[in-house]
Amino acid sequence: MKENRHICTIEETRISQAEDRALPRHMKFLRALAKLRLASEQHPSTEKHLKSSYQIIKENERLLRSYPAFIVHPFSLLRMSSDVIVFIVMNLHLMVLPFAFSFLAFNSHPTRHLVEYIDLSLCLILVAEFGLTFCTGFVVFETNEIVLEPGKIFFNRLRPFRLIYDLLLFLPYILLLEVFDELIYEAGAESCLVFVSFLYLCHIARFRDSNRYFRVIARSLQMPESKTRIVQVIMNTLDLESNASTTYRYFRSMMVTLRVSMASSEKKDIEQHFVYHWIMLLVMFLGWLWFNYVPVVLCRFFDSPEMATDQYDKFMANLKAFAYNKHLSEPLQKKLRNNFATRFRTRYFDEEMIMGLFPKNLRSSIRMETCRHLVASVDLFKNLPYFILTDIVNCLQLEIYLQDDVIIAAGSYGDSMYFLAVGTVAVYAMNGKELGHLTDGAYFGEISLIKRNQQRTANVIALEACEIYRLSHEDFQNVVKPHAYLLNRIRKQAEQRLSMMKKKKDKMYGKKFFEAFLQ
């Protein structure tokens, strides 16, 4: 947990924090450097794949325990910083090439050598990025699996087409300036067309990569999805070489380079060549298609109810207008936004409407697949028939708690059990002493299902955004009451468990901690 979010008072944690502060400066620096390769909640893709601090910690433990020190997590700060740098470098590289071959090909001025040195420096950075990809894990988007095995990463990058695709990016094409006028231009119009066509076509796929890097930056800046795509359309229209791939842009930029470079020389036969005319006709046709497509794209962006990200942005805009109209304070506005963001995580959908489309058996199957792992881990529910577990899962109610929200208050009377699906909570004794933490998959309050109105002896506070499923005493009793033998068995197990936990004297947490969890 971040220190600005929660200052832990558990003795072991305090000792660990004190030891960290006592380290020499160079050790602190090395530790900070090592953390750059670990998964970080600051990476914009982390929230989608690793929803809680617990999942991030477990992922980093997996990385440190099972893989070499040179493996970089795809959701690390190092990877995010690299994406930003590569986005800038790649676009500079793609803009320097047409500029150099258009205006400097026949110029021996020192400016040409300066541009060559600049582009070679950009190529070196891209070579470093190429090497870093062999150390960086990747996500299998079909299964959301995060792959960190060095062998799998290596062979994933060595796929033939992928390798050629990567190599074509950082080859120092700028050095061809030295021989362009002698070996290419003097060879005739066909050689010029082939050369410049190759120069652009080998970079076509790079605009797709540029778009991917741009989206990482946009998510880091929390730019809404609809605005991101509108910016991409505008940049495409202005022919800025930094975003999505459009065939028209490649051919048009290629022909602009051809015309400027050849017009600056003594030879004019290029514009009479039949290949030139065919390409110009194709460019004009693609340009007509593009400028007619732009209004359609913009209209679709403004009215696209089928797109979850757009729906999410629309609801957030409505929420902002609601808060403004009601004159809500800024902290409360932030809490409303965080609650909605936690529930939907940038992918808005109407769960009630979707579930209503399916018959009862399919709804139960969806709920069981989502929540069965939470219920099955409870000791009181072990060995229950499948149909009883299904009925219990169908009774679960999802609740969202934000940082510092009180889930259970000491002194209140228990009437529900809680399942912590995602998030981290802290347990405090009535005197304010922090007793421990609970993370993903934990549960508490199970005795309240059997003995209602047991007084709580501890506070349970959310340390981050938490998704919690609540099972009320009434719903549980309605499910189990028709099966008296099961109810008696569960009651007997609960009494045995309560008796055992009351007798147990744990040195770290103490008596009240266990009673709080049971109640």
Side-chain angles (χ1 to χ4, degrees):
M1 303 300 296
K2 286 186 176 180
E3 289 188 1
N4 63 339
R5 293 169 61 183
H6 171 64
I7 300 177
C8 193
T9 59
I10 299 175
E11 191 63 24
E12 289 83 354
T13 306
R14 295 177 65 182
I15 293 173
S16 176
Q17 291 174 348
E19 290 175 348
D20 288 343
R21 288 193 293 268
L23 288 173
R25 285 186 178 181
H26 71 279
M27 290 298 296
K28 290 181 180 179
F29 174 76
L30 292 176
R31 278 199 175 187
L33 204 62
K35 286 181 180 179
L36 290 178
R37 74 182 185 96
L38 303 179
S40 170
E41 61 183 11
Q42 297 179 35
H43 193 285
S45 298
T46 302
E47 186 179 9
K48 179 180 177 182
H49 299 273
L50 306 172
K51 296 182 179 180
S52 68
S53 297
Y54 175 77
Q55 293 179 14
I56 295 175
I57 291 171
K58 286 299 179 183
E59 185 68 11
N60 287 333
E61 288 179 355
R62 180 171 77 101
L63 175 61
L64 294 172
R65 180 180 64 252
S66 306
Y67 304 107
F70 60 83
I71 297 298
V72 178
H73 200 280
F75 305 144
S76 62
L77 289 178
L78 178 60
R79 185 66 262 174
M80 185 177 73
S81 303
S82 174
D83 288 346
V84 174
I85 294 172
V86 171
F87 172 78
I88 297 171
V89 169
M90 179 186 295
N91 286 282
L92 285 175
H93 175 59
L94 295 178
M95 287 188 289
V96 164
L97 288 177
F99 169 78
F101 283 99
S102 296
F103 298 101
L104 303 177
F106 308 100
N107 188 350
S108 60
H109 194 273
T111 303
R112 189 175 84 176
H113 299 295
L114 176 62
V115 172
E116 289 176 354
Y117 292 140
I118 292 173
D119 192 66
L120 287 174
S121 301
L122 299 177
C123 289
L124 287 176
I125 296 175
L126 295 176
V127 170
E129 159 68 8
F130 176 72
L132 183 61
T133 59
F134 281 90
C135 304
T136 305
F138 62 94
V139 179
V140 181
F141 291 101
E142 293 78 8
T143 60
N144 280 334
E145 177 190 2
I146 301 174
V147 178
L148 298 175
E149 290 81 356
K152 292 183 179 179
I153 295 173
F154 184 77
F155 287 110
N156 180 64
R157 302 301 305 183
L158 275 187
R159 288 178 296 176
F161 290 107
R162 181 63 180 266
L163 185 62
I164 295 172
Y165 171 83
D166 288 334
L167 290 174
L168 287 176
L169 172 64
F170 57 79
L171 292 178
Y173 302 102
I174 198 77
L175 296 180
L176 293 173
L177 279 177
E178 300 296 333
V179 296
F180 178 77
D181 53 344
E182 296 179 4
L183 300 183
I184 299 173
Y185 179 67
E186 292 296 333
E190 292 83 358
S191 298
C192 291
L193 284 170
V194 170
F195 169 72
V196 181
S197 298
F198 166 76
L199 195 61
Y200 277 91
L201 292 176
C202 69
H203 285 81
I204 284 179
R206 282 299 154 189
F207 292 103
R208 177 173 173 270
D209 274 353
S210 181
N211 178 55
R212 177 171 59 83
Y213 289 122
F214 174 75
R215 294 181 72 84
V216 171
I217 298 173
R219 288 197 300 269
S220 300
L221 298 175
Q222 298 183 345
M223 184 183 297
E225 182 73 15
S226 56
K227 290 184 179 179
T228 300
R229 282 177 285 162
I230 290 173
V231 169
Q232 290 171 355
V233 172
I234 294 173
M235 295 179 76
N236 287 340
T237 307
L238 294 176
D239 196 31
L240 294 178
E241 306 206 36
S242 55
N243 281 292
S245 57
T246 305
T247 306
Y248 160 67
R249 291 174 53 236
Y250 308 136
F251 279 109
R252 194 182 75 174
S253 57
M254 181 182 72
M255 295 311 303
V256 168
T257 301
L258 278 172
R259 296 187 69 179
V260 173
S261 60
M262 299 309 153
S264 64
S265 66
E266 297 179 357
K267 288 195 174 185
K268 308 295 182 182
D269 59 330
I270 186 70
E271 295 197 8
Q272 281 75 45
H273 200 278
F274 74 96
V275 176
Y276 177 87
H277 291 294
W278 278 105
I279 293 179
M280 286 303 296
L281 288 173
L282 179 61
V283 167
M284 293 174 63
F285 176 70
L286 293 174
W288 176 83
L289 286 179
W290 172 251
F291 284 105
N292 282 275
Y293 176 68
V294 167
V296 177
V297 172
L298 291 176
C299 290
R300 184 169 178 264
F301 285 169
F302 287 116
D303 186 21
S304 52
E306 78 283 3
M307 305 187 74
T309 49
D310 286 347
Q311 289 293 91
Y312 179 87
D313 292 339
K314 287 179 181 179
F315 191 94
M316 291 297 281
N318 288 335
L319 189 61
K320 183 177 180 180
F322 169 81
Y324 178 81
N325 183 265
K326 296 294 183 181
H327 304 289
L328 301 181
S329 63
E330 183 58 35
L332 183 55
Q333 290 184 42
K334 184 177 180 180
K335 199 164 188 177
L336 292 176
R337 291 193 298 269
N338 289 343
N339 186 283
F340 184 79
T342 302
R343 185 176 182 87
F344 297 105
R345 300 188 185 276
T346 72
R347 293 294 185 270
Y348 176 78
F349 55 90
D350 189 340
E351 181 174 349
E352 184 176 346
M353 183 273 291
I354 294 173
M355 295 292 281
L357 296 174
F358 305 121
K360 183 178 179 180
N361 62 326
L362 278 181
R363 291 199 297 270
S364 295
S365 298
I366 294 171
R367 291 185 180 276
M368 282 296 286
E369 190 163 315
T370 305
C371 303
R372 184 181 180 181
H373 69 286
L374 298 174
V375 175
S377 64
V378 181
D379 291 337
L380 296 181
F381 298 161
K382 286 182 178 179
N383 302 320
L384 286 181
Y386 182 84
F387 69 92
I388 296 291
L389 288 179
T390 301
D391 291 339
I392 291 175
V393 167
N394 286 334
C395 294
L396 297 181
Q397 299 294 323
L398 176 63
E399 296 181 348
I400 301 298
Y401 292 89
L402 303 180
Q403 180 188 342
D404 297 329
D405 281 354
V406 178
I407 302 169
I408 288 179
S412 63
Y413 293 92
D415 63 352
S416 298
M417 178 182 179
Y418 297 88
F419 301 88
L420 181 56
V422 174
T424 306
V425 301
V427 180
Y428 294 88
M430 296 184 74
N431 61 6
K433 180 181 178 181
E434 188 171 1
L435 301 175
H437 296 166
L438 294 176
T439 55
D440 300 21
Y443 59 89
F444 48 95
E446 64 265 36
I447 300 302
S448 297
L449 300 180
I450 307 300
K451 294 184 176 182
R452 191 176 183 181
N453 294 328
Q454 291 280 323
Q455 191 172 23
R456 311 284 194 184
T457 58
N459 295 291
V460 180
I461 312 294
L463 298 184
E464 62 179 341
C466 297
E467 297 177 16
I468 293 179
Y469 287 93
R470 184 174 66 86
L471 176 62
S472 69
H473 174 90
E474 291 83 1
D475 288 337
F476 177 75
Q477 291 293 325
N478 290 336
V479 170
V480 182
K481 266 184 180 179
H483 312 280
Y485 70 99
L486 290 176
L487 184 58
N488 291 333
R489 191 184 78 186
I490 291 173
R491 280 176 176 168
K492 186 177 180 180
Q493 289 177 345
E495 290 172 358
Q496 291 174 349
R497 179 173 169 79
L498 184 59
S499 175
M500 179 186 66
M501 298 305 287
K502 282 182 177 180
K503 292 178 182 179
K504 189 174 181 181
K505 302 289 185 179
D506 189 277
K507 295 180 181 180
M508 184 181 301
Y509 298 132
K511 177 180 176 182
K512 290 186 178 181
F513 176 71
F514 296 102
E515 291 180 351
F517 276 69
L518 291 172
Q519 296 173 10

